[in-house]
Amino acid sequence: MANLLEVKDLEVSFKTHGGEVQAVRGVTFSLNKGEVLAVVGESGSGKSVTAQTIMRLIACPPAVIKNGSIRFDDRTDILSLTDKQMEAVRGSEIGMIFQDPMTSLNPTMTVGRQIAEGLIKHQALSKSAGLDKAVELLQLVGIANAKERANQYPHQFSGGMRQRVVIAIALACNPKLLIADEPTTALDVTVQAQILDLLKELCDKLGSSILMITHDLGVVANIADKVIVMYAGKVVERGTARELFYDPKHPYTWGLLRSIPRLDTDDTMDLIPIEGTPPNLLNPPQGCAFAARCPYAMDICTTRQPEETAVSESHAASCWLMHSQAPKVDHGLMLGGANR
Amino acid sequence: MKKWKPLSLAAFVAAVLALTGCGSTASSPGSSTNGAGSQPKLAAAQTVNLLEPSDVEGFDPNIADEEITITAISQIFDGLTRIGSDGVTPEKAIASSWDISSDGKTYTFHLRDAKWSDGPAVRAQDFVFGWKRELSIDKYGFIMNMIQGADAVVNLDPKASAAEKQAKLDAVGIKAIDDKTLQVQLTAPTTYFLGLTAFVPFYPAREDFVTKQGDKYGTSAATLISDGPMQLSDWKQGSSWAFVKNANYWDASKVQLTKANYTIVKDQSQAVNLYDTKKSDMVYMLNADNTAHYRGTPDYHELSIDANYYAEFNPNSSNAVAAKAFKNANIRKAFGESIDRATFVKTILNDGSKPATGLVPPTVPGDPKAAGDFRTQNGTLVKDNDPTTAKADLQKGLQEAGLTINDLNSIHFLTNDTSTAGKLAQLITQMWKQALGVTISIDTVPQKIRVDSQHKGNFDICFAGWGADYADAMTFSDLFTTGNSQNDTKYSNPQFDALIKQAKAEPDNSKRAQELEQAEKLMLADGYISPVYFKGVAVIQKPTLQGVSFLPLGPDYDLKNAFIAQ
Amino acid sequence: MARFIVRRLLYAIVTLWVIITLTFVLMHSIPGQPFNNVDKMTPTILAHLNYTYGLDKPTYQQYLIYLNNILHGNLGTSFRYEDRTVNSIIGTGFPVSATLGFEALIFSVIIGLALGVYAALKHNTWADYTAITIAVLGVSVPNIVLGPLLSYYVGVKLGWLPTGEWGGFEYTILPSITLGMTSLAFMARLMRTSMLEVLGMDYIKTAKAKGLSNREIVWRHLFRNSLLPIVTILGPLVVNIITGSIVVEETFAIPGLGSSFVESITDKDYTVIMGTTIFYSALYILSLLLVDICYGFVDPRIRLAGGRD
């Protein structure tokens, strides 16, 4: 399968009065056509910054892209495009969905116009043709009375409906890649599944790849083909969804898995939060960033960064525990299906 | 009958000196052109541009009771007489001559061939109509109170019937013997009556025109006729008005100005800006803030006007301490003696005002047989800036009144809310504090409220001013007679009252002046009021504008002889 | 919408009535009388004048007579300028004040918004700081100071523009700047803050993600939404300009209603005080109503809420 997106050694920092905050510290991953890649991590792990850097939505200054490349659709580095060239990519080839549907729509513009805007710009449609297409898109994302609804304003829609509108905007021009930044976080649980289903269905239909930013492993399980886990601006583990759920290698991934409820087991297992807070990226630790919170941390963890160790062709993690001389530890997790 | 005789030469000189002698640089622009020497060349355009701080209230002379309106109207009307360029002497105007009866009570005026601006002749009947109209409208009617029967009209109950009012009006001693002869009957000989006939309330009004215009009389150029050097050509209410030369004026050949444009400019810094950018030829009555900038330039002049500003000490105050204190002559004296008038005039006013030395300001004529004006003749009656005496007097007074110095700290000073009045109150109370050790608090209120409280006697100490209604000491002395509505402190001295009454009936001018001088001495010695300054006026005037006469009372100035020099 | 407007108009009338009554009571409770020449007024003359003007009647009767006159659209005759009705004073003064106010409003809105937008788009650069410094200066220098300064330096020293008086367009420039400066500065600051706030909104990111150019984003999404808080202050702004014109008209010798108002207060000219107060209040109430309606047009959320009201 051909690579649609290839991010290599991406480093992004923010200049602040206190100094340079290293938000993304050498992130590498790739995404194939038609695939769904989930980026998982706590807030502050650099996942959103990574996503926004791909879209070049990040304001420079204060952000500085210090290193790395982002190759999209086998073309030149996105980071080297001019603003004008980038405008042609955004919306047309890469669409994006944001977290909060309540705020990601302009309150003073009709929904139809907001959808049509991108179409008019990228597909050189007339205003009325753009609006007609917008009505079709509203129907596509499952909004009844699309024609009337197109003339309404966002505040006349419920949260779930608004996210559908946002999806319609993002998918209006059949983008090759859809970046969804926590698309269900702000929604009611009952609506979340519907939205995810809709996303998956539409992307299948359109053949779009999805880069799903989330902290919710439930979402990952639902939708992702591949997963990368980020912590403190670095990828700590990568693999297929199956590998991650059934054979996690990084203590941080263990922690994440421990902290989600499972519906398929008895409530004998307590939910265990990860103790402590992520490190201050103004001065990232010398060794493994997770070491301070890691119950299995060894001396070396605080002094040297672990290398990425491959488990399989698709699975790898960065942890000293995977070193041949490291002691074997039991993470005590019930993994995969509730078969124990 | 005797022919009218001009003021004594001495009084005339004194008057001119008063106008010209204010500081080394100041000279009256009005008098300078009347001296010998070559007449300056006239400029091609004879237009003058002037500013006034508020609009004219109407050009009907019979409703005028306010300075700007009076000044404007006097440029376009002519009375029986007109004040000459010395600012004091009444000269022949519509009346070409007059006879005065030997008892000084009957005046017979002989009118010249003068015309109204619309053509018809000015007749004696026009004066009869105008003067009676003044009395019946009664805004400034009280100024005619020396005319027989005038008081009866003015004091008539407002609810009286029209017939009753007409009967009183018919009885007034104003009569047209024929078209050219006007006879006026006075209740007492009145030396200043001729001067008054130059004043706005005494202008003529033509019955046919006034009746035809009704309420619209004097509200626009179309509804006004006049008999003066100029006539109204345009009036944009609230913003500007303009006069043009009146071709029908009897003395038109002497009038050089062809046009006078007036703009209403309330803010004086704007007025000064307009002057500096040549949009205006004159600014009358500069504030202290602006005088310093122009003093020493040829544009700057200081004039004296007939106005006196004085402090009043109220023995009838509702404040028991103030009443008790000011019933005591020594305490009153102490307050008056401790004012440093020279400092006062210099630091607050700075406009040519002078420390007051008596009640009657300079230029007001006195005894015609003696030298000098009233003020020179009666000498300095005000004890100024004498803290030592003041302190001693205060001690004596406090003992007599059974008060302590701390008691006096409950006394209040009532003043206007204008900036000058505020500064003035600050300084005067500070002087009292320094000299007497008394802390007087200041009550600041709007002018109308100040006057209201003052006339009702609701004050401890107050600052008041009086501008002359006519060029005679009586206009000041009369205020302090028992029962006068302007007598705020309810001053009552039978001896003073008797002297004033005597002077009012006195046919001998010389004796009359002596009686008034004696009354002034008496009144000031009683000390219920303490004169502080004689008002001066600072004017800036373009050197090209010449021949303007500035008047110490009534209108501010007269443009009849003004012209623009090259 | 119609019901909303009718209801607001009813409120407006009640408000006006309260203002009329309060002004009447306050004015009559202050000592002093409305006639000229107070220094020389004798009790007889005062009695005559009070009789002529009906001021000898009990205050409640005067009040009822006044209310009745207002209902007939008659605001009375000035005490000082006896030939002038208050209606005619407003009729000649207001067009001048309105011209001045309108120019000042246009000036402050256009320059203020431009300055605010510019500052926000150049956020944290020297251009931003300069714009904000201008704005702070504009707010902190009152027009009673700015007017004379402009008149003197631009009018007298530089001689570029007339120092004052009222004539052609060149006469309106300095007063409009003076009158509009506070509003301009206020507007610039508010617009900048509002723009920065909207810039941080998610829907700006959405717009960017659509591939819109900066210019398209600024005009279609940023500007209109940033205007919302501006519209709310338009009411106070109009008042600011009305009350400001009272000072500015005096400073620049402009024959507007503001200077008549000031004069009437010092003169205690009852009818003119009442008339202009009523007129100003009505104007204010009306401008607030217009602002509310305007707001509905700019913000669809308010429009519907108002419609249901």
Side-chain angles (χ1 to χ4, degrees):
Chain A
M1 255 200 267
N3 268 355
L4 179 68
L5 178 71
E6 211 178 313
V7 175
K8 225 176 194 164
D9 298 328
L10 185 66
E11 287 177 34
V12 183
S13 295
F14 290 90
K15 300 255 190 222
T16 68
H17 290 295
E20 198 180 299
V21 176
Q22 300 170 29
V24 177
R25 304 187 293 154
V27 165
T28 300
F29 65 86
S30 65
L31 172 60
N32 291 332
K33 280 190 179 137
E35 228 174 31
V36 177
L37 170 68
V39 182
V40 184
E42 291 173 76
S43 40
S45 62
K47 57 188 195 302
S48 276
V49 175
T50 308
Q52 292 190 20
T53 309
I54 295 168
M55 264 304 231
R56 294 258 309 267
L57 285 180
I58 208 148
C60 307
V64 190
I65 296 165
K66 306 201 65 147
N67 193 19
S69 65
I70 299 171
R71 199 169 273 280
F72 176 72
D73 203 19
D74 279 336
R75 283 185 308 197
T76 41
D77 187 0
I78 271 187
L79 296 177
S80 65
L81 293 182
T82 63
D83 284 352
K84 203 91 223 144
Q85 288 169 321
M86 195 60 218
E87 278 165 26
V89 172
R90 281 190 210 120
S92 155
E93 299 194 58
I94 310 178
M96 189 157 180
I97 301 171
F98 297 91
Q99 179 172 344
D100 189 356
M102 309 307 273
T103 58
S104 48
L105 291 172
N106 183 342
T108 63
M109 195 186 266
T110 61
V111 158
R113 274 197 63 197
Q114 295 194 52
I115 300 173
E117 246 184 339
L119 288 163
I120 293 166
K121 168 111 183 176
H122 296 297
Q123 301 188 348
L125 293 185
S126 70
K127 216 172 161 179
S128 65
L131 285 169
D132 290 344
K133 187 85 194 291
V135 173
E136 281 172 37
L137 280 160
L138 281 175
Q139 277 164 345
L140 190 67
V141 296
I143 286 174
N145 297 329
K147 214 174 164 91
E148 282 166 42
R149 296 294 249 168
N151 284 322
Q152 295 185 334
Y153 291 90
H155 70 275
Q156 292 162 284
F157 289 71
S158 69
M161 300 274 249
R162 284 194 216 181
Q163 198 62 315
R164 287 170 192 266
V165 173
V166 174
I167 292 171
I169 292 173
L171 294 179
C173 303
N174 291 357
K176 293 179 179 131
L177 173 65
L178 178 70
I179 301 176
D181 189 352
E182 310 244 13
T184 57
T185 310
L187 299 176
D188 284 349
V189 187
T190 48
V191 184
Q192 288 185 357
Q194 294 172 18
I195 294 293
L196 282 180
D197 287 346
L198 176 71
L199 259 182
K200 222 162 116 181
E201 181 199 320
L202 286 176
C203 288
D204 281 350
K205 204 189 269 180
L206 300 170
S208 309
S209 306
I210 303 179
L211 180 68
M212 172 76 65
I213 313 291
T214 184
H215 63 269
D216 183 349
L217 289 173
V219 171
V220 178
N222 223 321
I223 195 172
D225 300 314
K226 291 201 302 194
V227 182
I228 60 175
V229 179
M230 284 187 71
Y231 186 78
K234 279 176 176 287
V235 175
V236 294
E237 186 162 4
R238 69 180 78 240
T240 62
R242 201 177 168 73
E243 284 162 341
L244 257 288
F245 280 104
Y246 286 90
D247 187 18
K249 289 295 180 194
H250 197 283
Y252 178 62
T253 316
W254 301 343
L256 286 179
L257 287 168
R258 257 200 288 266
S259 63
I260 52 162
R262 296 187 59 145
L263 297 172
D264 54 351
T265 59
D266 308 328
D267 50 356
T268 49
M269 283 282 291
D270 287 333
L271 291 179
I272 305 165
I274 304 173
E275 296 288 329
T277 51
N280 182 358
L281 294 179
L282 210 55
N283 292 301
Q286 208 185 351
C288 171
F290 189 61
R293 302 168 76 186
C294 182
Y296 316 104
M298 301 170 289
D299 288 349
I300 191 162
C301 296
T302 55
T303 51
R304 282 186 59 194
Q305 301 256 2
E307 294 287 314
E308 191 171 85
T309 311
V311 182
S312 70
E313 198 185 326
S314 53
H315 190 188
S318 309
C319 180
W320 287 115
L321 286 176
M322 298 174 74
H323 195 267
S324 52
Q325 290 168 12
K328 295 292 165 236
V329 295
D330 179 11
H331 49 62
L333 272 170
M334 283 187 302
L335 294 172
N339 51 3
R340 254 200 272 183
Chain B
M1 293 252 196
K2 64 177 181 187
K3 281 274 180 196
W4 174 80
K5 172 163 134 310
L7 285 172
S8 75
L9 187 63
F12 175 72
V13 170
V16 173
L17 279 179
L19 285 170
T20 58
C22 320
S24 54
T25 58
S27 70
S28 165
S31 57
S32 64
T33 55
N34 292 317
S38 58
Q39 225 13 284
K41 273 195 173 157
L42 293 181
Q46 289 295 318
T47 301
V48 64
N49 296 304
L50 300 166
L51 312 172
E52 289 289 3
S54 69
D55 200 359
V56 169
E57 295 178 355
F59 283 95
D60 175 354
N62 297 135
I63 62 154
D65 64 351
E66 166 280 334
E67 188 180 335
I68 285 147
T69 304
I70 282 174
T71 303
I73 290 178
S74 64
Q75 311 308 323
I76 56 174
F77 275 86
D78 218 6
L80 292 169
T81 60
R82 192 172 189 93
I83 300 297
S85 42
D86 63 6
V88 185
T89 319
E91 290 172 353
K92 294 165 186 172
I94 302 292
S96 56
S97 67
W98 47 81
D99 309 302
I100 302 172
S101 65
S102 55
D103 65 356
K105 290 188 187 174
T106 307
Y107 282 66
T108 309
F109 295 92
H110 306 285
L111 273 56
R112 71 172 80 238
D113 292 330
K115 282 181 191 158
W116 286 96
S117 52
D118 64 339
V122 179
R123 302 180 310 151
Q125 289 85 342
D126 299 338
F127 284 91
V128 176
F129 180 75
W131 294 16
K132 288 192 174 176
R133 188 165 175 269
E134 179 74 31
L135 284 172
S136 92
I137 289 178
D138 190 26
K139 276 190 103 178
Y140 219 139
F142 64 88
I143 201 159
M144 295 182 163
N145 64 2
M146 75 293 296
I147 299 176
Q148 212 169 56
D151 268 348
V153 182
V154 172
N155 293 328
L156 191 67
D157 184 331
K159 293 175 182 99
S161 70
E164 196 182 342
K165 190 169 184 183
Q166 193 53 52
K168 297 266 195 247
L169 272 173
D170 290 343
V172 173
I174 311 166
K175 214 164 56 200
I177 308 281
D178 56 43
D179 282 5
K180 293 276 176 219
T181 317
L182 179 75
Q183 199 176 68
V184 186
Q185 201 63 48
L186 307 185
T187 53
T190 310
T191 45
Y192 52 85
F193 182 67
L194 274 180
L196 273 186
T197 60
F199 196 32
V200 174
F202 293 83
Y203 286 155
R206 208 172 77 211
E207 188 169 4
D208 65 318
F209 191 84
V210 173
T211 316
K212 196 175 117 201
Q213 301 304 333
D215 284 348
K216 297 269 164 258
Y217 177 57
T219 61
S220 68
T223 59
L224 181 72
I225 49 167
S226 63
D227 67 341
M230 304 203 122
Q231 65 186 96
L232 181 65
S233 65
D234 182 37
W235 187 18
K236 293 189 182 68
Q237 291 190 343
S239 97
S240 65
W241 72 88
F243 298 142
V244 291
K245 183 175 172 175
N246 174 10
N248 281 332
Y249 182 49
W250 67 268
D251 206 13
S253 65
K254 297 256 182 63
V255 177
Q256 301 296 347
L257 288 181
T258 54
K259 189 152 195 208
N261 297 312
Y262 284 84
T263 311
I264 299 160
V265 177
K266 291 176 186 164
D267 182 64
Q268 194 168 84
S269 26
Q270 179 59 251
V272 164
N273 286 352
L274 289 168
Y275 182 84
D276 284 345
T277 49
K278 300 190 166 64
K279 294 279 188 73
S280 158
D281 294 306
M282 178 166 89
V283 180
Y284 185 82
M285 203 176 281
L286 280 188
N287 298 333
D289 310 337
N290 292 320
T291 49
H293 182 65
Y294 295 97
R295 184 170 282 121
T297 67
D299 299 30
Y300 183 80
H301 311 278
E302 284 177 353
L303 331 155
S304 291
I305 60 169
D306 287 348
N308 185 356
Y309 287 76
Y310 47 87
E312 298 181 327
F313 308 110
N314 189 5
N316 300 303
S317 171
S318 53
N319 174 354
V321 173
K324 205 166 172 190
F326 294 136
K327 280 195 176 94
N328 182 284
N330 283 314
I331 298 182
R332 294 195 300 267
K333 249 167 78 187
F335 272 80
E337 285 160 354
S338 45
I339 302 171
D340 175 2
R341 291 167 179 77
T343 304
F344 199 90
V345 163
K346 216 174 145 217
T347 55
I348 307 279
L349 303 162
N350 199 19
D351 59 358
S353 295
K354 291 189 196 58
T357 51
L359 177 67
V360 179
T363 81
V364 174
D367 180 355
K369 288 185 185 136
D373 58 12
F374 188 96
R375 185 73 273 128
T376 340
Q377 289 168 7
N378 216 21
T380 298
L381 304 178
V382 175
K383 201 173 255 173
D384 178 52
N385 193 20
D386 186 353
T388 327
T389 318
K391 196 127 200 156
D393 283 339
L394 185 71
Q395 281 313 323
K396 213 157 55 174
L398 286 173
Q399 254 171 19
E400 289 162 3
L403 290 166
T404 68
I405 217 162
N406 285 337
D407 291 339
L408 300 188
N409 291 347
S410 70
I411 294 177
H412 288 245
F413 186 96
L414 183 68
T415 182
N416 284 357
D417 57 359
T418 59
S419 117
T420 310
K423 285 187 215 158
L424 192 143
Q426 292 286 347
L427 187 62
I428 204 164
T429 50
Q430 196 197 327
M431 284 169 177
W432 285 327
K433 181 158 183 65
Q434 222 154 24
L436 306 176
V438 184
T439 311
I440 307 287
S441 25
I442 300 170
D443 291 344
T444 310
V445 294
Q447 192 218 6
K448 286 207 167 175
I449 297 178
R450 194 264 296 161
V451 171
D452 194 68
S453 305
Q454 195 182 337
H455 288 352
K456 286 183 180 145
N458 295 331
F459 67 97
D460 301 340
I461 308 176
C462 182
F463 208 72
W466 188 259
D469 286 326
Y470 43 87
D472 189 87
M474 186 63 87
T475 187
F476 292 96
S477 306
D478 200 20
L479 302 177
F480 301 96
T481 52
T482 307
N484 188 294
S485 62
Q486 308 290 340
N487 186 352
D488 305 324
T489 62
K490 308 223 167 25
Y491 172 64
S492 180
N493 183 335
Q495 218 183 330
F496 176 82
D497 289 349
L499 278 168
I500 298 297
K501 200 174 163 199
Q502 208 178 330
K504 278 185 173 168
E506 182 63 66
D508 181 340
N509 279 345
S510 179
K511 268 168 92 178
R512 180 177 175 278
Q514 284 161 20
E515 283 152 10
L516 285 172
E517 285 170 6
Q518 206 189 330
E520 186 191 36
K521 279 186 178 137
L522 200 65
M523 204 275 295
L524 288 178
D526 282 334
Y528 288 95
I529 71 143
S530 179
V532 176
Y533 65 91
F534 296 136
K535 178 81 179 105
V537 171
V539 177
I540 42 174
Q541 186 185 344
K542 294 285 180 211
T544 47
L545 173 61
Q546 297 183 8
V548 180
S549 349
F550 292 95
L551 308 173
L553 65 93
D556 295 337
Y557 52 81
D558 184 3
L559 295 175
K560 180 182 171 183
N561 298 314
F563 59 92
I564 308 290
Q566 265 180 344
Chain C
M1 202 68 177
R3 261 188 68 193
F4 165 73
I5 294 175
V6 167
R7 193 201 290 205
R8 286 293 302 268
L9 279 175
L10 283 176
Y11 283 144
I13 290 168
V14 174
T15 315
L16 261 186
W17 172 74
V18 171
I19 291 170
I20 291 169
T21 310
L22 277 179
T23 317
F24 191 92
V25 169
L26 285 175
M27 207 172 57
H28 282 265
S29 60
I30 301 170
Q33 38 75 18
F35 308 108
N36 275 329
N37 212 2
V38 280
D39 275 321
K40 309 220 163 171
M41 189 70 74
T42 64
T44 345
I45 298 176
L46 189 59
H48 277 228
L49 288 171
N50 280 340
Y51 175 74
T52 316
Y53 289 96
L55 294 177
D56 55 342
K57 294 197 176 77
T59 312
Y60 79 91
Q61 267 188 33
Q62 293 181 43
Y63 173 69
L64 291 179
I65 292 169
Y66 189 74
L67 273 190
N68 185 41
N69 285 342
I70 289 178
L71 285 179
H72 292 89
N74 174 10
L75 293 172
T77 306
S78 163
F79 279 92
R80 171 150 185 195
Y81 302 100
E82 289 167 48
D83 59 302
R84 280 173 233 183
T85 62
V86 178
N87 297 39
S88 77
I89 288 177
I90 294 174
T92 49
F94 183 64
V96 174
S97 297
T99 310
L100 176 64
F102 187 69
E103 267 186 44
L105 196 67
I106 297 284
F107 163 75
S108 64
V109 168
I110 291 180
I111 311 277
L113 289 188
L115 215 58
V117 170
Y118 185 69
L121 294 181
K122 302 272 170 190
H123 186 41
N124 282 340
T125 64
W126 67 268
D128 179 20
Y129 300 139
T130 312
I132 286 316
T133 308
I134 293 174
V136 169
L137 275 179
V139 169
S140 36
V141 179
N143 50 25
I144 202 162
V145 173
L146 183 64
L149 281 180
L150 284 179
S151 174
Y152 184 70
Y153 284 102
V154 182
V156 179
K157 284 282 153 188
L158 299 172
W160 291 349
L161 289 166
T163 60
E165 299 185 305
W166 195 241
F169 177 69
E170 71 268 27
Y171 287 88
T172 66
I173 297 173
L174 291 183
S176 298
I177 291 177
T178 310
L179 185 53
M181 192 50 97
T182 320
S183 310
L184 177 153
F186 195 52
M187 190 147 262
R189 281 204 315 186
L190 196 69
M191 189 62 185
R192 175 179 175 272
T193 318
S194 175
M195 285 275 285
L196 289 177
E197 202 183 308
V198 175
L199 265 174
M201 288 292 192
D202 286 347
Y203 58 81
I204 297 300
K205 273 193 201 153
T206 309
K208 228 172 170 177
K210 279 180 211 172
L212 300 185
S213 67
N214 276 334
R215 180 188 293 260
E216 286 164 327
I217 292 170
V218 167
W219 287 112
R220 285 195 215 146
H221 294 274
L222 190 53
F223 193 66
R224 180 169 169 161
N225 287 297
S226 306
L227 276 182
L228 293 182
I230 302 288
V231 177
T232 37
I233 64 145
L234 273 181
L237 202 75
V238 169
V239 177
N240 185 5
I241 281 184
I242 289 173
T243 50
S245 82
I246 292 172
V247 171
V248 173
E249 283 173 19
E250 196 133 328
T251 308
F252 287 96
I254 295 166
L257 190 54
S259 49
S260 301
F261 188 46
V262 176
E263 196 179 71
S264 73
I265 291 171
T266 40
D267 290 343
K268 224 170 169 263
D269 194 337
Y270 287 145
T271 43
V272 180
I273 297 178
M274 288 296 295
T276 30
T277 307
I278 293 168
F279 182 75
Y280 275 141
S281 311
L283 200 66
Y284 180 36
I285 293 170
L286 197 71
S287 72
L288 286 186
L289 182 61
L290 284 178
V291 165
D292 279 356
I293 295 170
C294 264
Y295 200 80
F297 280 109
V298 186
D299 190 339
R301 288 167 295 187
I302 303 289
R303 178 161 61 215
L304 275 144
R308 279 192 220 110
D309 187 42

